Coordinates of all heavy atoms in Angstrom, one line a residue:
M1 N 22.4 -57.0 6.9 CA 22.1 -55.8 6.3 C 23.3 -54.8 6.4 O 23.8 -54.6 7.5 CB 20.8 -55.2 6.9 CG 20.3 -54.0 6.3 SD 18.7 -53.7 7.0 CE 17.8 -53.6 5.5
T2 N 23.7 -54.2 5.3 CA 24.8 -53.3 5.4 C 24.4 -51.9 5.4 O 23.3 -51.5 4.8 CB 25.8 -53.5 4.2 OG1 25.0 -53.2 3.0 CG2 26.3 -54.9 4.1
N3 N 25.1 -51.0 6.0 CA 24.8 -49.6 6.1 C 25.3 -48.9 4.8 O 26.2 -49.4 4.2 CB 25.5 -48.9 7.3 CG 24.9 -49.4 8.6 OD1 23.8 -49.8 8.6 ND2 25.7 -49.3 9.6
A4 N 24.6 -47.9 4.4 CA 24.9 -47.2 3.2 C 26.2 -46.4 3.5 O 26.4 -45.8 4.5 CB 23.8 -46.2 2.8
T5 N 27.0 -46.3 2.5 CA 28.3 -45.5 2.6 C 27.9 -44.0 2.7 O 26.9 -43.6 2.1 CB 29.2 -45.8 1.5 OG1 28.6 -45.4 0.3 CG2 29.6 -47.3 1.5
P6 N 28.8 -43.2 3.2 CA 28.5 -41.8 3.3 C 28.3 -41.2 1.9 O 27.5 -40.3 1.7 CB 29.7 -41.2 4.0 CG 30.3 -42.3 4.8 CD 30.0 -43.6 4.0
L7 N 29.1 -41.6 0.9 CA 29.0 -41.1 -0.5 C 27.6 -41.4 -1.0 O 27.0 -40.6 -1.7 CB 30.1 -41.6 -1.4 CG 30.1 -41.1 -2.8 CD1 30.3 -39.6 -2.8 CD2 31.2 -41.8 -3.6
R8 N 27.1 -42.6 -0.8 CA 25.8 -43.0 -1.3 C 24.7 -42.2 -0.7 O 23.8 -41.8 -1.4 CB 25.6 -44.5 -1.1 CG 24.3 -45.0 -1.7 CD 24.1 -46.5 -1.6 NE 25.1 -47.1 -2.5 CZ 25.4 -48.4 -2.5 NH1 24.8 -49.2 -1.6 NH2 26.3 -48.9 -3.3
R9 N 24.8 -42.0 0.6 CA 23.8 -41.1 1.3 C 23.9 -39.7 0.7 O 22.8 -39.1 0.5 CB 24.1 -41.1 2.8 CG 23.5 -42.3 3.5 CD 23.7 -42.2 4.9 NE 25.2 -42.5 5.2 CZ 25.7 -42.6 6.4 NH1 25.0 -42.4 7.4 NH2 27.0 -42.8 6.5
T10 N 25.0 -39.2 0.5 CA 25.2 -37.8 0.0 C 24.6 -37.7 -1.4 O 23.8 -36.8 -1.7 CB 26.7 -37.4 0.0 OG1 27.2 -37.5 1.3 CG2 26.8 -36.0 -0.5
L11 N 24.9 -38.7 -2.3 CA 24.4 -38.6 -3.6 C 22.8 -38.8 -3.6 O 22.2 -38.1 -4.4 CB 25.0 -39.7 -4.5 CG 26.5 -39.5 -4.8 CD1 27.1 -40.6 -5.6 CD2 26.6 -38.2 -5.6
T12 N 22.3 -39.6 -2.8 CA 20.9 -39.8 -2.7 C 20.2 -38.5 -2.2 O 19.2 -38.1 -2.8 CB 20.5 -41.0 -1.7 OG1 21.2 -42.1 -2.2 CG2 19.1 -41.2 -1.7
A13 N 20.8 -37.9 -1.2 CA 20.2 -36.6 -0.7 C 20.3 -35.6 -1.8 O 19.3 -34.8 -1.9 CB 20.9 -36.2 0.6
L14 N 21.4 -35.5 -2.5 CA 21.5 -34.5 -3.5 C 20.5 -34.7 -4.7 O 19.9 -33.8 -5.2 CB 23.0 -34.5 -4.1 CG 23.3 -33.5 -5.2 CD1 23.2 -32.1 -4.6 CD2 24.7 -33.8 -5.7
A15 N 20.3 -36.0 -5.1 CA 19.4 -36.3 -6.1 C 17.9 -35.9 -5.7 O 17.2 -35.3 -6.4 CB 19.5 -37.8 -6.5
A16 N 17.6 -36.3 -4.4 CA 16.3 -35.9 -3.9 C 16.0 -34.4 -3.9 O 15.0 -33.9 -4.2 CB 16.1 -36.6 -2.6
T17 N 17.0 -33.7 -3.4 CA 16.9 -32.2 -3.3 C 16.8 -31.6 -4.7 O 16.0 -30.7 -4.9 CB 18.2 -31.6 -2.6 OG1 18.3 -32.3 -1.4 CG2 18.1 -30.2 -2.5
T18 N 17.5 -32.1 -5.7 CA 17.4 -31.6 -7.0 C 16.1 -31.9 -7.6 O 15.5 -31.0 -8.3 CB 18.5 -32.3 -7.9 OG1 19.8 -32.0 -7.3 CG2 18.5 -31.7 -9.3
L19 N 15.5 -33.0 -7.4 CA 14.2 -33.4 -7.9 C 13.1 -32.5 -7.3 O 12.2 -32.0 -8.0 CB 13.9 -34.8 -7.7 CG 14.7 -35.8 -8.6 CD1 14.4 -37.2 -8.2 CD2 14.3 -35.6 -10.1
L20 N 13.2 -32.3 -6.0 CA 12.2 -31.4 -5.3 C 12.3 -30.0 -5.8 O 11.3 -29.3 -6.1 CB 12.5 -31.5 -3.8 CG 12.0 -32.7 -3.1 CD1 12.4 -32.7 -1.7 CD2 10.5 -32.8 -3.2
A21 N 13.5 -29.5 -5.9 CA 13.7 -28.1 -6.4 C 13.2 -27.9 -7.8 O 12.5 -26.9 -8.2 CB 15.2 -27.7 -6.3
G22 N 13.5 -28.9 -8.7 CA 13.0 -28.9 -10.1 C 11.5 -28.9 -10.1 O 10.9 -28.2 -10.9
G23 N 10.9 -29.7 -9.3 CA 9.5 -29.8 -9.3 C 8.8 -28.5 -8.8 O 7.8 -28.1 -9.3
L24 N 9.4 -27.9 -7.8 CA 8.9 -26.6 -7.3 C 9.0 -25.5 -8.4 O 8.0 -24.8 -8.6 CB 9.6 -26.2 -6.1 CG 9.3 -26.9 -4.8 CD1 10.2 -26.5 -3.7 CD2 7.9 -26.8 -4.4
L25 N 10.1 -25.5 -9.1 CA 10.3 -24.5 -10.1 C 9.3 -24.7 -11.3 O 8.7 -23.8 -11.8 CB 11.7 -24.5 -10.6 CG 12.8 -23.9 -9.7 CD1 14.1 -24.1 -10.3 CD2 12.5 -22.4 -9.4
L26 N 9.1 -26.0 -11.6 CA 8.2 -26.3 -12.7 C 6.8 -26.0 -12.3 O 6.0 -25.4 -13.1 CB 8.3 -27.8 -13.1 CG 7.5 -28.3 -14.2 CD1 7.9 -27.6 -15.5 CD2 7.6 -29.8 -14.4
G27 N 6.4 -26.2 -11.1 CA 5.1 -25.9 -10.6 C 4.8 -24.4 -10.6 O 3.8 -24.0 -10.9
Q28 N 5.8 -23.6 -10.2 CA 5.7 -22.2 -10.1 C 5.6 -21.6 -11.5 O 4.8 -20.7 -11.8 CB 6.8 -21.5 -9.4 CG 6.8 -21.8 -7.9 CD 8.0 -21.1 -7.2 OE1 8.9 -20.7 -7.9 NE2 7.9 -21.1 -5.9
T29 N 6.3 -22.2 -12.5 CA 6.3 -21.7 -13.8 C 4.9 -22.0 -14.5 O 4.4 -21.2 -15.2 CB 7.4 -22.3 -14.7 OG1 8.6 -22.1 -14.0 CG2 7.4 -21.8 -16.1
A30 N 4.4 -23.2 -14.2 CA 3.1 -23.6 -14.8 C 2.0 -22.8 -14.2 O 1.0 -22.5 -14.9 CB 2.9 -25.1 -14.6
A31 N 2.1 -22.5 -12.9 CA 1.0 -21.8 -12.2 C 1.0 -20.3 -12.4 O 0.0 -19.6 -12.2 CB 1.0 -22.1 -10.7
A32 N 2.2 -19.7 -12.8 CA 2.3 -18.3 -12.9 C 1.6 -17.7 -14.1 O 1.7 -18.3 -15.2 CB 3.8 -17.9 -13.0
P33 N 0.8 -16.7 -14.0 CA 0.2 -16.1 -15.2 C 1.2 -15.4 -16.1 O 2.1 -14.8 -15.6 CB -0.8 -15.1 -14.6 CG -0.2 -14.7 -13.3 CD 0.5 -15.9 -12.8
S34 N 1.1 -15.6 -17.3 CA 2.0 -14.9 -18.3 C 1.6 -13.5 -18.5 O 0.5 -13.1 -18.2 CB 2.0 -15.7 -19.6 OG 0.8 -15.5 -20.2
A35 N 2.6 -12.7 -19.0 CA 2.3 -11.3 -19.2 C 1.3 -11.1 -20.3 O 0.5 -10.2 -20.3 CB 3.6 -10.6 -19.5
E36 N 1.3 -12.0 -21.3 CA 0.4 -11.9 -22.4 C -1.0 -12.2 -21.9 O -2.0 -11.6 -22.4 CB 0.8 -12.8 -23.5 CG 2.1 -12.5 -24.1 CD 2.6 -13.6 -25.1 OE1 2.0 -14.6 -25.2 OE2 3.6 -13.3 -25.7
A37 N -1.1 -13.2 -21.0 CA -2.5 -13.6 -20.6 C -3.1 -12.5 -19.7 O -4.3 -12.4 -19.7 CB -2.4 -14.9 -19.8
A38 N -2.3 -11.7 -19.1 CA -2.9 -10.7 -18.2 C -3.6 -9.6 -19.0 O -4.6 -9.1 -18.6 CB -1.8 -10.1 -17.3
G39 N -3.1 -9.3 -20.2 CA -3.7 -8.3 -21.0 C -3.6 -6.9 -20.5 O -4.4 -6.0 -21.0
K40 N -2.8 -6.7 -19.6 CA -2.6 -5.3 -19.0 C -1.6 -4.6 -19.8 O -0.6 -5.1 -20.3 CB -2.1 -5.4 -17.6 CG -3.1 -5.9 -16.6 CD -2.5 -5.8 -15.2 CE -3.6 -6.1 -14.1 NZ -3.0 -6.0 -12.8
T41 N -1.8 -3.3 -19.9 CA -0.8 -2.4 -20.5 C -0.3 -1.5 -19.4 O -1.1 -1.0 -18.6 CB -1.4 -1.6 -21.7 OG1 -2.5 -0.8 -21.2 CG2 -1.8 -2.4 -22.8
T42 N 1.0 -1.3 -19.4 CA 1.6 -0.4 -18.4 C 1.7 1.0 -18.9 O 2.3 1.2 -20.0 CB 2.9 -1.0 -18.0 OG1 2.8 -2.3 -17.5 CG2 3.5 -0.1 -16.8
T43 N 1.3 2.0 -18.2 CA 1.4 3.3 -18.6 C 2.4 4.0 -17.7 O 2.2 4.0 -16.5 CB 0.0 4.1 -18.6 OG1 -0.9 3.3 -19.4 CG2 0.1 5.5 -19.1
C44 N 3.4 4.7 -18.3 CA 4.4 5.4 -17.5 C 4.1 6.9 -17.6 O 4.1 7.4 -18.7 CB 5.8 5.0 -17.9 SG 6.2 3.3 -17.7
H45 N 4.0 7.5 -16.5 CA 3.9 9.0 -16.4 C 5.2 9.5 -15.9 O 5.5 9.6 -14.8 CB 2.8 9.4 -15.5 CG 1.4 8.9 -15.9 ND1 0.7 9.4 -17.0 CD2 0.6 7.9 -15.4 CE1 -0.4 8.7 -17.1 NE2 -0.5 7.8 -16.1
V46 N 6.1 9.7 -16.9 CA 7.5 9.9 -16.6 C 7.7 11.2 -15.8 O 8.5 11.2 -14.8 CB 8.4 10.0 -17.9 CG1 9.8 10.3 -17.6 CG2 8.3 8.6 -18.6
E47 N 7.0 12.3 -16.1 CA 7.1 13.5 -15.4 C 6.7 13.4 -13.9 O 7.3 13.9 -13.0 CB 6.4 14.6 -16.1 CG 7.0 15.0 -17.5 CD 8.5 15.3 -17.4 OE1 8.9 16.0 -16.4 OE2 9.2 14.9 -18.2
D48 N 5.6 12.7 -13.7 CA 5.1 12.4 -12.4 C 6.1 11.6 -11.6 O 6.4 11.8 -10.4 CB 3.7 11.8 -12.4 CG 2.7 12.6 -12.9 OD1 2.8 13.9 -12.9 OD2 1.6 12.1 -13.4
M49 N 6.7 10.6 -12.2 CA 7.6 9.7 -11.6 C 8.9 10.5 -11.2 O 9.5 10.3 -10.2 CB 7.9 8.5 -12.5 CG 6.7 7.6 -12.6 SD 6.9 6.3 -13.9 CE 8.2 5.3 -13.2
R50 N 9.3 11.4 -12.1 CA 10.5 12.2 -11.8 C 10.3 13.1 -10.7 O 11.2 13.3 -9.8 CB 10.9 13.0 -13.1 CG 11.6 12.2 -14.1 CD 12.1 13.0 -15.3 NE 12.8 12.1 -16.2 CZ 12.9 12.3 -17.5 NH1 12.4 13.4 -18.0 NH2 13.6 11.5 -18.3
K51 N 9.1 13.7 -10.6 CA 8.7 14.5 -9.4 C 8.8 13.7 -8.1 O 9.3 14.2 -7.1 CB 7.4 15.1 -9.6 CG 7.0 16.1 -8.5 CD 5.6 16.7 -8.7 CE 5.2 17.6 -7.6 NZ 5.4 17.2 -6.2
Q52 N 8.2 12.5 -8.2 CA 8.3 11.6 -7.0 C 9.7 11.3 -6.6 O 10.1 11.3 -5.4 CB 7.5 10.3 -7.2 CG 6.1 10.5 -7.3 CD 5.4 9.2 -7.7 OE1 6.0 8.2 -8.0 NE2 4.1 9.1 -7.7
S53 N 10.6 11.1 -7.6 CA 12.0 10.8 -7.3 C 12.7 12.0 -6.7 O 13.4 11.9 -5.7 CB 12.7 10.4 -8.6 OG 14.0 10.2 -8.4
R54 N 12.4 13.2 -7.2 CA 13.0 14.4 -6.6 C 12.5 14.6 -5.2 O 13.3 15.0 -4.3 CB 12.6 15.6 -7.5 CG 13.4 15.8 -8.7 CD 13.2 17.2 -9.3 NE 11.8 17.5 -9.6 CZ 11.1 17.2 -10.7 NH1 11.8 16.7 -11.7 NH2 9.9 17.6 -10.9
D55 N 11.2 14.4 -5.0 CA 10.7 14.5 -3.6 C 11.3 13.5 -2.6 O 11.6 13.8 -1.5 CB 9.2 14.3 -3.6 CG 8.4 15.4 -4.3 OD1 9.0 16.5 -4.5 OD2 7.2 15.2 -4.7
L56 N 11.5 12.3 -3.1 CA 12.1 11.3 -2.3 C 13.6 11.6 -2.0 O 14.1 11.4 -0.8 CB 12.1 9.9 -2.9 CG 10.7 9.2 -2.9 CD1 10.7 7.9 -3.8 CD2 10.3 8.8 -1.5
R57 N 14.3 12.1 -3.0 CA 15.7 12.5 -2.7 C 15.8 13.7 -1.8 O 16.7 13.8 -0.9 CB 16.4 12.9 -4.0 CG 16.6 11.6 -4.9 CD 17.4 11.9 -6.1 NE 17.5 10.7 -7.0 CZ 18.2 9.7 -6.7 NH1 19.0 9.6 -5.7 NH2 18.2 8.6 -7.5
A58 N 14.8 14.7 -1.8 CA 14.8 15.8 -0.9 C 14.5 15.3 0.5 O 15.1 15.7 1.5 CB 13.7 16.8 -1.3
K59 N 13.6 14.3 0.6 CA 13.3 13.7 1.9 C 14.5 13.0 2.5 O 14.8 13.1 3.7 CB 12.1 12.7 1.8 CG 11.7 12.1 3.1 CD 10.5 11.2 2.8 CE 10.1 10.5 4.1 NZ 8.9 9.6 3.9
A60 N 15.2 12.3 1.6 CA 16.4 11.6 2.1 C 17.5 12.6 2.6 O 18.1 12.3 3.6 CB 17.0 10.7 1.0
A61 N 17.6 13.7 1.9 CA 18.6 14.7 2.3 C 18.2 15.3 3.7 O 19.1 15.5 4.5 CB 18.7 15.8 1.3
K62 N 16.9 15.5 3.8 CA 16.5 16.0 5.1 C 16.7 15.0 6.2 O 17.2 15.4 7.3 CB 15.0 16.4 5.0 CG 14.4 17.0 6.3 CD 12.9 17.3 6.1 CE 12.3 17.9 7.3 NZ 10.9 18.2 7.2
L63 N 16.4 13.8 6.0 CA 16.6 12.8 7.0 C 18.1 12.6 7.4 O 18.5 12.5 8.5 CB 16.1 11.4 6.5 CG 14.6 11.3 6.5 CD1 14.1 10.0 5.8 CD2 14.0 11.3 7.9
K64 N 18.9 12.7 6.3 CA 20.4 12.7 6.6 C 20.9 13.8 7.4 O 21.7 13.7 8.3 CB 21.1 12.6 5.2 CG 22.6 12.3 5.4 CD 23.2 12.1 4.0 CE 24.7 11.8 4.2 NZ 25.4 11.6 2.9
R65 N 20.3 15.0 7.1 CA 20.7 16.2 8.0 C 20.3 16.0 9.4 O 20.9 16.5 10.3 CB 20.1 17.5 7.4 CG 20.8 18.1 6.2 CD 20.3 19.5 5.9 NE 18.9 19.6 5.8 CZ 18.2 19.4 4.6 NH1 18.8 19.1 3.5 NH2 16.9 19.6 4.6
L66 N 19.1 15.4 9.6 CA 18.6 15.2 10.9 C 19.3 14.0 11.7 O 19.1 13.8 12.9 CB 17.1 14.9 10.9 CG 16.2 16.1 10.4 CD1 14.8 15.6 10.3 CD2 16.3 17.2 11.4
G67 N 20.1 13.3 11.0 CA 20.9 12.2 11.6 C 20.3 10.8 11.5 O 20.8 9.9 12.0
A68 N 19.2 10.7 10.7 CA 18.6 9.4 10.5 C 19.1 8.7 9.3 O 18.5 8.7 8.2 CB 17.1 9.5 10.5
T69 N 20.3 8.2 9.3 CA 21.0 7.8 8.1 C 20.4 6.5 7.6 O 20.3 6.3 6.4 CB 22.5 7.5 8.4 OG1 22.6 6.6 9.5 CG2 23.2 8.8 8.7
T70 N 19.9 5.6 8.5 CA 19.3 4.3 8.0 C 18.1 4.6 7.2 O 17.9 4.1 6.1 CB 19.0 3.4 9.2 OG1 20.2 3.3 10.0 CG2 18.5 2.1 8.7
E71 N 17.2 5.5 7.7 CA 16.0 5.8 7.0 C 16.3 6.6 5.7 O 15.6 6.4 4.7 CB 15.1 6.7 7.9 CG 14.5 6.0 9.1 CD 15.4 5.9 10.3 OE1 16.5 6.5 10.2 OE2 15.0 5.2 11.3
A72 N 17.3 7.4 5.8 CA 17.7 8.2 4.6 C 18.2 7.2 3.5 O 17.9 7.4 2.3 CB 18.8 9.2 4.9
R73 N 19.0 6.2 3.8 CA 19.4 5.2 2.8 C 18.2 4.4 2.2 O 18.2 4.2 1.0 CB 20.4 4.2 3.5 CG 21.8 4.7 3.6 CD 22.8 3.6 3.8 NE 22.4 2.8 5.0 CZ 23.0 3.0 6.2 NH1 24.0 3.9 6.3 NH2 22.7 2.3 7.2
R74 N 17.2 4.1 3.1 CA 16.0 3.4 2.6 C 15.3 4.3 1.6 O 14.9 3.8 0.5 CB 15.1 3.0 3.7 CG 14.0 2.1 3.3 CD 13.2 1.6 4.5 NE 13.8 2.0 5.8 CZ 13.1 2.5 6.7 NH1 11.8 2.8 6.6 NH2 13.6 2.8 7.9
V75 N 15.1 5.6 1.9 CA 14.3 6.5 1.0 C 15.1 6.7 -0.3 O 14.6 6.7 -1.4 CB 14.0 7.8 1.7 CG1 13.4 8.8 0.8 CG2 13.1 7.6 2.9
L76 N 16.5 6.8 -0.1 CA 17.3 7.0 -1.3 C 17.2 5.7 -2.2 O 17.2 5.8 -3.5 CB 18.7 7.2 -0.9 CG 19.7 7.8 -1.9 CD1 19.1 9.1 -2.5 CD2 21.0 8.1 -1.3
A77 N 17.2 4.5 -1.6 CA 17.0 3.3 -2.4 C 15.7 3.3 -3.2 O 15.6 2.8 -4.3 CB 17.1 2.1 -1.5
Q78 N 14.6 3.8 -2.5 CA 13.3 3.9 -3.2 C 13.4 4.9 -4.4 O 12.9 4.6 -5.5 CB 12.3 4.4 -2.3 CG 11.9 3.4 -1.2 CD 10.9 4.0 -0.2 OE1 10.6 5.2 -0.2 NE2 10.3 3.1 0.7
A79 N 14.1 6.0 -4.2 CA 14.3 6.9 -5.3 C 15.1 6.3 -6.5 O 14.8 6.5 -7.6 CB 15.0 8.2 -4.8
D80 N 16.2 5.6 -6.1 CA 17.0 4.9 -7.1 C 16.1 3.9 -7.9 O 16.2 3.7 -9.1 CB 18.2 4.2 -6.5 CG 19.2 5.2 -6.0 OD1 19.2 6.3 -6.5 OD2 20.0 4.8 -5.2
A81 N 15.3 3.1 -7.2 CA 14.4 2.2 -7.9 C 13.4 2.9 -8.8 O 13.2 2.4 -9.9 CB 13.6 1.3 -6.8
L82 N 12.9 4.0 -8.4 CA 12.0 4.8 -9.2 C 12.7 5.3 -10.5 O 12.2 5.3 -11.6 CB 11.4 5.9 -8.4 CG 10.2 6.7 -9.0 CD1 9.1 5.7 -9.3 CD2 9.7 7.7 -8.0
D83 N 14.0 5.7 -10.3 CA 14.8 6.2 -11.4 C 15.0 5.0 -12.4 O 15.0 5.3 -13.6 CB 16.1 6.7 -11.0 CG 16.0 8.1 -10.3 OD1 14.9 8.8 -10.5 OD2 16.9 8.5 -9.6
R84 N 15.2 3.8 -11.9 CA 15.4 2.7 -12.8 C 14.1 2.4 -13.6 O 14.2 2.1 -14.8 CB 15.9 1.5 -12.0 CG 17.3 1.5 -11.7 CD 17.8 0.1 -11.1 NE 17.1 -0.3 -9.9 CZ 17.5 0.1 -8.7 NH1 18.5 0.9 -8.5 NH2 16.8 -0.4 -7.6
R85 N 13.0 2.5 -12.9 CA 11.7 2.3 -13.6 C 11.5 3.4 -14.7 O 11.0 3.1 -15.8 CB 10.6 2.4 -12.6 CG 10.4 1.1 -11.7 CD 9.3 1.1 -10.8 NE 8.0 1.3 -11.5 CZ 6.9 1.8 -11.0 NH1 6.9 2.2 -9.7 NH2 5.8 2.0 -11.7
I86 N 11.9 4.6 -14.4 CA 11.8 5.7 -15.4 C 12.6 5.3 -16.6 O 12.2 5.5 -17.7 CB 12.2 7.0 -14.8 CG1 11.2 7.5 -13.7 CG2 12.4 8.1 -15.8 CD1 11.7 8.7 -12.9
Q87 N 13.9 4.9 -16.3 CA 14.7 4.6 -17.5 C 14.2 3.4 -18.3 O 14.3 3.4 -19.5 CB 16.2 4.3 -17.0 CG 17.2 4.2 -18.1 CD 17.3 5.5 -18.9 OE1 17.3 6.6 -18.4 NE2 17.3 5.3 -20.2
N88 N 13.6 2.4 -17.6 CA 13.0 1.3 -18.3 C 11.9 1.7 -19.2 O 11.7 1.2 -20.3 CB 12.6 0.2 -17.3 CG 13.7 -0.5 -16.7 OD1 14.8 -0.5 -17.2 ND2 13.5 -1.2 -15.5
C89 N 11.1 2.7 -18.7 CA 9.9 3.2 -19.5 C 10.5 3.9 -20.7 O 9.9 3.7 -21.8 CB 9.1 4.1 -18.6 SG 8.1 3.3 -17.4
I90 N 11.5 4.7 -20.5 CA 12.0 5.5 -21.6 C 12.6 4.5 -22.7 O 12.4 4.6 -23.9 CB 13.1 6.5 -21.1 CG1 12.4 7.6 -20.3 CG2 13.9 7.1 -22.3 CD1 13.4 8.5 -19.6
D91 N 13.4 3.5 -22.2 CA 14.0 2.5 -23.1 C 12.9 1.7 -23.8 O 13.0 1.4 -25.0 CB 14.9 1.5 -22.3 CG 16.1 2.2 -21.8 OD1 16.5 3.3 -22.3 OD2 16.8 1.7 -20.9
A92 N 11.8 1.4 -23.2 CA 10.7 0.6 -23.8 C 10.1 1.5 -24.9 O 9.8 1.0 -26.0 CB 9.7 0.2 -22.8
D93 N 9.9 2.8 -24.6 CA 9.3 3.6 -25.6 C 10.2 3.8 -26.8 O 9.8 3.8 -28.0 CB 9.0 5.0 -25.0 CG 7.8 5.0 -24.1 OD1 7.0 4.1 -24.2 OD2 7.7 6.0 -23.3
N94 N 11.5 3.9 -26.6 CA 12.5 4.0 -27.7 C 12.6 2.7 -28.5 O 12.7 2.8 -29.7 CB 13.9 4.4 -27.1 CG 13.9 5.8 -26.6 OD1 13.1 6.6 -26.9 ND2 14.9 6.0 -25.8
D95 N 12.5 1.6 -27.9 CA 12.5 0.3 -28.6 C 11.3 0.1 -29.4 O 11.3 -0.5 -30.5 CB 12.8 -0.9 -27.6 CG 14.2 -0.9 -27.1 OD1 15.1 -0.3 -27.7 OD2 14.4 -1.6 -26.1
A96 N 10.1 0.5 -28.9 CA 8.9 0.3 -29.6 C 8.8 1.2 -30.8 O 8.0 0.9 -31.7 CB 7.7 0.6 -28.6
A97 N 9.5 2.3 -30.8 CA 9.4 3.2 -31.9 C 10.3 2.8 -33.1 O 10.1 3.3 -34.2 CB 9.9 4.6 -31.5
K98 N 11.2 1.9 -32.9 CA 12.0 1.4 -34.0 C 11.2 0.5 -34.9 O 10.6 -0.4 -34.4 CB 13.3 0.7 -33.4 CG 14.2 1.6 -32.6 CD 15.4 0.8 -32.1 CE 16.3 1.7 -31.3 NZ 17.4 0.9 -30.7
P99 N 11.4 0.7 -36.2 CA 10.6 -0.2 -37.1 C 11.1 -1.6 -37.2 O 10.3 -2.6 -37.3 CB 10.8 0.5 -38.5 CG 12.0 1.3 -38.3 CD 12.1 1.7 -36.9
F100 N 12.4 -1.8 -37.0 CA 13.0 -3.1 -37.0 C 13.8 -3.3 -35.8 O 15.0 -3.0 -35.8 CB 13.8 -3.4 -38.3 CG 13.1 -3.2 -39.5 CD1 13.2 -2.1 -40.3 CD2 12.2 -4.2 -39.9 CE1 12.5 -1.9 -41.5 CE2 11.5 -4.1 -41.1 CZ 11.6 -2.9 -41.9
P101 N 13.2 -3.9 -34.7 CA 14.0 -4.1 -33.5 C 15.1 -5.1 -33.7 O 15.0 -6.0 -34.5 CB 13.0 -4.5 -32.5 CG 11.8 -4.9 -33.2 CD 11.9 -4.3 -34.6
R102 N 16.2 -5.0 -32.9 CA 17.3 -5.9 -33.0 C 16.9 -7.3 -32.6 O 16.2 -7.6 -31.9 CB 18.4 -5.4 -32.2 CG 19.0 -4.2 -32.7 CD 20.2 -3.8 -31.8 NE 20.1 -2.4 -31.6 CZ 20.9 -1.7 -30.7 NH1 21.8 -2.4 -30.1 NH2 20.7 -0.5 -30.5

């Protein structure tokens, strides 16, 4: 009985890993609910979200003045994420208003 060469072992392990990863991705895709199936509509209250963003930025500035820079960065990241959501809502409204989207 001969031992497998290192290249053969490596290729076998790589093939097995690829098959497992592909199976996991396929399983997650099949099990995940689609956005159409959910039937939910998202409502954006832009003014309320902007107020939350302003409040978070004020809180971050206060934390930074007090010397809690790590917490200030975390709160500032939350405000940035909220600003991105606001921009996504505005972009979605603008795209929906066009009669012939690109």
